[in-house]
Amino acid sequence: MGASNQRGVQLKFSLVLATIGRTEELVRFLKSLQDQSYKNFELIVIDQNTDDRLVLILNSFNKLFPIQHLYSEKGLSKARNVGLKHITGDIIAFPDDDCWYPPVLLERVQQWFSVNTTFSGLTGRSIDENGNMSMQRWSQEAGIITKKNVWIRATSYTIFLRKDVIESVSGFDEQLGVGSGTPWGSAEEVDFLIRTLNKGLSIYYNNEIFAYHPNPVPDYNSKSINRAQSYGRGMGRVLKIHQYSIINVGYLFIRPIVGCLLSLLICKFRKAHFHWAIFTGRFRGWLES
């Protein structure tokens, strides 16, 4: 490890944030950065809007902490890859534009990396403003991330990686993720972490580390069903290209089928359709990869 990873050295964060269509949520995140107890960070905003809605907002916060304001084509993975070309920090993170950080998050992450010098990455949980798990159910136990458990131990906005990971793993797969223009609308961060593990690097999941993110309640309309299928196809593709075992694949396929059947039993037909879309998305993504 280099000098920046030695115990006691103040590690610098580069926060790579892609954004489109949001302002109020972004302001909330920026305010959470303003409130951080640990101040050694830079924010790299990759703007995918077609207007200048963010200029005044970012200019007002740029007086409080360093902000680079960049632009890219649409696509979450494309935007992050643009941002990664401009990082100057020791620890890289990928906040969502609708997440926000507790005030001590960066301080706790910095302390963890300063002590755990053999690890190349750290991940945590996602919770909502009420302290409940958000987005999905996360592992209740801390431990090393593997290809098998990465799905319940990592989400993009709670991933923190040393810079040497970025230097050894060739960016995000631009065929994966929201806005990619492909059928595979998710799992770009899982793919990135698996490729990191394949390099022989170690990543740790700490269930006491968390960021905030709203917990969306799907209304099971056509938009949410299409999104569920797109996200499912992203997962299916990653399962296939990283050669998951039939047992692992089968488990991840069966879960939404069970959800579909349970919803049918209580006559929640739109919810059943939603779960079926997740299953068919995962199956199609796996087949077509």
Side-chain angles (χ1 to χ4, degrees), residues 12-68:
K12 179 181 178 181
F13 288 85
S14 290
L15 311 175
V16 178
L17 184 149
T19 183
I20 184 171
R22 290 188 171 123
T23 53
E24 292 181 7
E25 296 91 342
L26 181 60
V27 169
R28 178 176 59 189
F29 177 72
L30 294 169
K31 287 181 177 178
S32 80
L33 290 185
Q34 180 184 348
D35 294 338
Q36 289 298 300
S37 57
Y38 188 79
K39 304 295 186 182
N40 192 9
F41 64 85
E42 65 177 353
L43 176 65
I44 302 171
V45 176
I46 308 93
D47 186 349
Q48 297 180 299
N49 294 293
T50 57
D51 54 34
D52 293 329
R53 71 182 69 189
L54 300 186
V55 173
L56 292 178
I57 294 172
L58 296 179
N59 284 346
S60 65
F61 281 91
N62 204 13
K63 302 170 185 176
L64 304 172
F65 48 81
I67 300 177
Q68 297 185 58

Side-chain angles (χ1 to χ4, degrees), residues 102-118:
V104 296
L105 178 61
L106 295 184
E107 181 178 358
R108 293 187 65 193
V109 172
Q110 193 276 153
Q111 291 172 347
W112 188 93
F113 273 106
S114 295
V115 172
N116 296 280
T117 57
T118 60

Side-chain angles (χ1 to χ4, degrees), residues 136-150:
Q136 69 169 53
R137 295 183 64 83
W138 303 104
S139 174
Q140 299 279 13
E141 298 180 356
I144 293 174
I145 286 186
T146 66
K147 191 172 79 168
K148 182 178 179 180
N149 66 31
V150 64

Side-chain angles (χ1 to χ4, degrees), residues 267-288:
C267 298
K268 292 189 175 182
F269 300 114
R270 289 199 298 174
K271 187 175 182 179
H273 191 184
F274 177 81
H275 286 293
W276 185 251
I278 295 173
F279 162 69
T280 57
R282 291 178 184 179
F283 186 62
R284 290 179 66 185
W286 187 77
L287 274 184
E288 63 200 4

Side-chain angles (χ1 to χ4, degrees), residues 203-217:
I203 305 171
Y204 192 83
Y205 168 74
N206 186 337
N207 59 327
E208 295 182 356
I209 296 291
F210 62 86
Y212 293 108
H213 193 286
N215 201 10
V217 180

